[in-house]
Amino acid sequence: MNFEGIIVGAAVFLIIGLCHPVTIKLEYHFGKKGAWFFAVAGLVCAAASLFIMHHTVSTILAAFSFSCFWGIREVFQQEKRVLRGWFPENPTRHEYYENLRKKYL
């Protein structure tokens, strides 16, 4: 039996499930600067996946890297969700959000 597909599927499921709360926390604590974390992690994992010979591990790293690339977009979208009141804003950055609300909303 070949379990590689099931292993990759489960890993991708966990990766996607973990990236969402990480996106929320990064935006809460760092704002849009948190996108840099996803950019660096995505590039490092994409490069690593090119050099790892084990197919399953390489595939999981590539899936993680593209989830990180998607996370870059989600950090910016998360800021918009905070501005709409769908998620709590960081009280230490209240002035920043108020300036954005005046500008965009």
Side-chain angles (χ1 to χ4, degrees):
M1 296 181 89
N2 185 357
F3 290 103
E4 287 182 7
I6 297 295
I7 292 168
V8 169
V12 169
F13 179 76
L14 290 173
I15 289 166
I16 292 170
L18 290 173
C19 279
H20 182 68
V22 169
T23 300
I24 294 169
K25 291 294 183 186
L26 278 176
E27 195 286 325
Y28 183 85
H29 292 290
F30 303 107
K32 291 188 278 190
K33 295 176 192 171
W36 283 103
F37 167 77
F38 282 119
V40 170
L43 289 172
V44 167
C45 289
S49 73
L50 293 173
F51 295 103
I52 292 181
M53 297 302 289
H54 194 275
H55 293 293
T56 305
V57 176
S58 176
T59 304
I60 291 170
L61 274 174
F64 181 73
S65 73
F66 280 88
S67 291
C68 287
F69 295 147
W70 185 263
I72 295 169
R73 177 186 176 276
E74 284 300 311
V75 168
F76 290 95
Q77 293 297 317
Q78 180 64 20
E79 181 180 79
K80 292 178 184 175
R81 293 180 200 119
V82 171
L83 289 173
R84 292 179 183 132
W86 297 351
F87 284 86
E89 68 179 47
N90 187 338
T92 60
R93 297 180 34 234
H94 179 71
E95 187 175 315
Y96 170 77
Y97 289 119
E98 282 302 312
N99 289 336
L100 284 178
R101 282 186 188 99
K102 290 176 189 173
K103 187 176 179 180
Y104 293 115
L105 297 179

